[in-house]
Structure formats: C-alpha cells, structure tokens
Amino acid sequence: MSSTRPRLATAWLGGCSGCHMSFLDLDERLFDLAAAADVLFSPVVDAKTIPPEIDITLIEGAVANEDNLELLKHLRERSRFLIAFGDCAVTGNVTALRNLAGGPMLVLARSYRDESNLQPQIPTELPVIPPLVDRVVPIHQVVQVDFHMPGCPPHPDLIWYCVTELLAGRVPNLTGKWKFG
Amino acid sequence: MSVRTFTLNDQLITAAAGQSILAAAREHGIAIPTLCELEGLSTVGACRLCLVEVAGSQRLLPACTTEVQEGMTVVSESPRLKHYRQTILELFLAERNHVCAVCVSNNHCELQNRAVEQGVTHVRFDYLMPTLPVDMSHDRFGVDHNRCILCTRCVRVCDEVEGAHTWDIMGRGFQARVITDMAEPWGDSTSCTSCGKCVQVCPTGALFDKRATAGGMVKQPSFVKVLQHARARKESQ
Ligand code: SF4
Ligand code: FES
C-alpha cells in the first residue's frame, strides 16, 4: 500500500448512485485508470476504512443524513482535491426536493406513515438508520470544494476528461463540456 | 432614416435612431446574453442579464432597453459583467426550485443554457426552496411556479400578440407570481383563448404542454418575430 501512485477515492452520499454508474460506464478506460492510479476507497472497492491520504476524491450525492455529513468531513480532511461529482453533490438536485416537505420528522411521516397502508411506523428508533439532517444541502455548503462537475449524471467522457486532467496535474476546463441535468 | 454611430467593444457600429444597444449588437453579430427579451415583444429589462458598461455612467445599463446614443462607448464583455451575470443566474437558480434533471424543459431551457454559457457550475447562495404550487387545471397546459423566473414574456405575448391579457404579475419582490385572470385557476380563465403562445415563449419549464415528460418540452419562441413582421407588412400595404 505504500505506492507513490496517485490515490483516488469516491463516495456515495445522498444520491441515486447514477453518478457511480456513469463512472462504471468508463468501461475499458477503467483498466487505464487502474494502471494509472490506485482507487483506494469507493462503493465499488471493499475498503472498510478511509485511507489517511487521498489525492483526488469524487463525491456523489447531497448531504442528507448524519452519516453523509461525517463521511464528507472525513474525506475532506484527507483529500488534496475534492470534487463535487454530479448534480446532487453540486446543487442538492432531486435529493434536496425532500426539503419541500419540511423537516426530518415531516419527511419520515410522509414516507413511512402517511403513504403506507401496512404497519405504518417511523423508523427512528432503530440505531441502524442514520438521523436525517434538518435540510438537504449541496456539499459545498458543508466543506470546501475544489471543483464542481455538474450533470445528472455527468457523462463518462466528462468524468474521464476531469480525472485524467487532474492526474496530469491540471485543473479541468469545463467550457462547452458540461450542463446541469 | 437617421443613424447613430457608437463604439461597442472597440468596434465602430452604426445603428438606426431609436435602436437598442442589444438590437444593434445583434445586427453586427455580437451576442449579448439575454433571458427576458424576445424579438417581437416589447422590452422590459426584467432579468438584467444583458447589462453592459456605458462610458460616463456609474451604473450598468440593460442593453435591451437602452437606446444607442451618438458617440457612446459600450463594453459588453468584461470580468465585472461576467461576475454580475453569473451572480444573477445563481440568484435565479437559488430563488425557486429549478431541478433540471426532472424538468420538462431539460436540455431545451434558456436558463440552463445561459448558466452553462456563463460558466455557472454551482450556486454560492443558499437555496430558498419555497413551496410553490403547480396549476394543472387547464385542459392542455400547466404552470409550474417552481420554474418561473418572472421574465414576463407570457404576460407580454398574451397582451401584445394574442390580445387576451390573461396573464399578469401579482405581488412584489420574491413573492411575485404570474397569475391568470384575477388569480384564478388557469382552467377557469374566461379570457384565455388556449392559443399556447405563452407556453412557446416561456424560457424555462414554467409553462408547458401537459403531455410533456422530463426533457420533452421543445419550444419555438421565434414565431413571435415572424408573426409581428407579417402583421407589420400587412398594415403597411
Ligand atoms: S411563466 Fe415563463 S414566460 Fe411567464 S414570467 Fe414565468 S418564466 Fe417568464
Ligand atoms: S434581456 Fe435585457 S434585462 Fe433581460
């Protein structure tokens, strides 16, 4: 593990995992990525702990619960370059639509009690379920973000362009390459 | 026709008397970003995206409502203007709920396009996330207040081209809303002719065809210019 190769991480917060699907859609380029860098921590890597030092971290999803918040803060502390990866991380997007229903209890009541016809109950007592934060927010409202990569999801070509530019030590120039949605 | 000569971005440009800076710039292939302006409708200077620097004026002036003056010096691209344009777009995006991924106008939205063109990759302000209604009472069309940027194109096209004046604006500031008739459901409107002009000119997904799903709403706002041109010709015959 003591390689000097670039260290990459990805994380999945309050999002649908679509950004990670788009990441996997790099297809053959995943081999090139594996040849150029170590992906140390990610939903697609069996790592239980966050590595102490990361060069580039891609964050999918908005901050929706306490787990998201904690993971984001830890990754920020350990990452040299942190990217808001996709619209939920960048804007809150669909994940943040929950805010329109009100605070956590109203959201849980709406989802688990009001719309349920079989054993309506709000799963707040179970310790396995992380408490919801009051308001879903994009990640740059919680930590410093070095780069925003919008898209729902960002196209694999855009992901590849950004990651390869960063690996080459350059800040990607998104002009004409991106959009929201 | 009397002419006015002025300087735009170091280029000497001749305009017709009474022409706006925006119209003159367009004629010379110089693009200035706009949202509320639409060729064929009156100009109101609502969105402020077309602000330009005019020598001798402390304030920035909207190119769509400012007439060309003889000898004036105008700059339409500068770091200062870029900063203001980005800020304006970010405020639009923060004020209501523009969730591109699930919007009927995704990929065909003027607000979305302007944000990309001006390099707005994120919004620095807190999202207000107001709870706003969607009125689906009309047979064919819907209005989603979450997407409205209060450009008043719908108000103007309905009044100036269709002659119905079904649409108007109620309230002030961030509480302003587009309304039909006396703030009644659109479906109950007795003045609406169901012509759909408002839907076609709306720059965002605020007004839409009820059959449209996410990304399905493609609009043709250029009909206004053609229609107004045809009418002017008929009148001059
Ligand atoms: S409904 Fe559309 S056209 Fe009317 S003011 Fe709102 S954004 Fe403009
Ligand atoms: S286009 Fe000039 S103010 Fe909107």
Side-chain angles (χ1 to χ4, degrees):
Chain A
M1 281 289 284
S2 64
S3 93
T4 55
R5 286 149 42 90
R7 290 156 303 218
L8 249 67
T10 78
W12 174 17
L13 311 184
C16 73
S17 94
C19 296
H20 275 82
M21 294 302 140
S22 199
F23 181 81
L24 292 178
D25 272 343
L26 288 171
D27 292 334
E28 294 90 13
R29 287 172 291 195
L30 286 170
F31 292 113
D32 301 331
L33 181 64
D38 293 325
V39 184
L40 296 180
F41 183 82
S42 167
V44 297
V45 171
D46 188 18
K48 304 282 184 266
T49 54
I50 305 173
E53 280 181 45
I54 309 162
D55 293 306
I56 303 166
T57 298
L58 300 174
I59 306 276
E60 171 192 330
V63 178
N65 63 37
E66 299 292 345
D67 269 12
N68 298 156
L69 197 61
E70 197 184 331
L71 182 58
L72 177 62
K73 284 181 177 164
H74 281 142
L75 284 167
R76 174 67 277 186
E77 276 166 20
R78 293 156 194 225
S79 306
R80 273 183 45 218
F81 211 86
L82 187 115
I83 303 179
F85 176 37
D87 276 359
C88 291
V90 174
T91 74
N93 202 29
V94 175
T95 310
L97 279 175
R98 164 191 123 187
N99 294 343
L100 300 181
M105 278 320 286
L106 289 167
V107 170
L108 290 169
R110 176 90 170 264
S111 316
Y112 291 97
R113 195 190 60 206
D114 305 350
E115 308 292 336
S116 151
N117 50 19
L118 196 68
Q119 296 183 11
Q121 53 182 322
I122 298 176
T124 45
E125 258 84 273
L126 304 174
V128 289
I129 297 177
L132 301 183
V133 291
D134 280 347
R135 215 178 130 80
V136 178
V137 290
I139 65 168
H140 69 264
Q141 294 197 356
V142 177
V143 296
Q144 173 85 33
V145 170
D146 298 303
F147 189 76
H148 290 86
M149 194 199 307
C152 185
H155 194 277
D157 292 347
L158 181 67
I159 301 173
W160 186 240
Y161 167 74
C162 290
V163 169
T164 50
E165 283 293 287
L166 289 168
L167 287 175
R170 292 185 292 263
V171 176
N173 176 3
L174 287 192
T175 312
K177 297 191 184 69
W178 67 280
K179 66 172 201 72
F180 290 115
Chain B
M1 184 177 71
S2 63
V3 296
R4 302 275 182 274
T5 306
F6 75 114
T7 308
L8 177 56
N9 304 340
D10 295 328
Q11 188 181 334
L12 216 53
I13 283 182
T14 305
Q19 209 173 19
S20 69
I21 296 172
L22 178 69
R26 260 194 202 142
E27 263 178 31
H28 290 79
I30 298 167
I32 298 175
T34 57
L35 264 178
C36 66
E37 182 271 350
L38 184 70
E39 260 185 278
L41 299 181
S42 61
T43 46
V44 291
C47 75
R48 316 310 275 182
L49 210 60
C50 70
L51 288 176
V52 292
E53 294 170 359
V54 177
S57 165
Q58 293 288 323
R59 293 182 304 133
L60 300 172
L61 298 173
C64 66
T65 57
T66 308
E67 280 183 20
V68 170
Q69 306 290 326
E70 182 64 33
M72 86 196 312
T73 303
V74 180
V75 172
S76 72
E77 293 296 333
S78 71
R80 179 179 172 217
L81 289 172
K82 177 127 194 157
H83 167 75
Y84 279 115
R85 287 174 186 154
Q86 287 184 335
T87 306
I88 290 166
L89 288 163
E90 286 175 52
L91 288 168
F92 274 133
L93 293 169
E95 186 169 341
R96 298 196 182 185
N97 305 302
H98 298 275
V99 187
C100 298
V102 293
C103 177
V104 284
S105 285
N106 190 16
N107 299 331
H108 314 285
C109 172
E110 293 184 43
L111 177 61
Q112 188 184 33
N113 290 344
R114 287 308 92 76
V116 170
E117 287 158 16
Q118 298 299 319
V120 175
T121 59
H122 67 290
V123 172
R124 291 164 294 172
F125 307 104
D126 285 354
Y127 287 89
L128 290 186
M129 303 214 75
T131 310
L132 295 170
V134 180
D135 177 359
M136 295 292 264
S137 60
H138 190 281
D139 276 350
R140 289 161 54 203
F141 312 123
V143 49
D144 182 352
H145 293 274
N146 292 286
R147 318 282 194 227
C148 176
I149 57 167
L150 299 170
C151 71
T152 72
R153 278 190 192 178
C154 55
V155 179
R156 284 174 284 152
V157 82
C158 189
D159 178 46
E160 297 165 15
V161 183
E162 179 61 8
H165 204 131
T166 300
W167 289 102
D168 218 315
I169 305 275
M170 182 179 79
R172 295 179 69 85
F174 84 112
Q175 286 182 324
R177 305 276 183 271
V178 289
I179 54 164
T180 41
D181 286 358
M182 306 306 273
E184 289 146 275
W186 194 355
D188 295 347
S189 166
T190 49
S191 66
C192 176
T193 63
S194 301
C195 72
K197 289 185 178 68
C198 53
V199 174
Q200 293 302 318
V201 300
C202 176
T204 69
L207 302 184
F208 55 91
D209 189 313
K210 280 164 84 171
R211 291 166 302 183
T213 51
M217 195 64 224
V218 184
K219 303 181 178 185
Q220 306 289 346
S222 59
F223 82 90
V224 179
K225 180 172 66 181
V226 179
L227 202 60
Q228 296 289 58
H229 189 70
R231 284 182 185 174
R233 278 189 56 154
K234 188 142 188 279
E235 269 160 31
S236 68
Q237 270 169 12

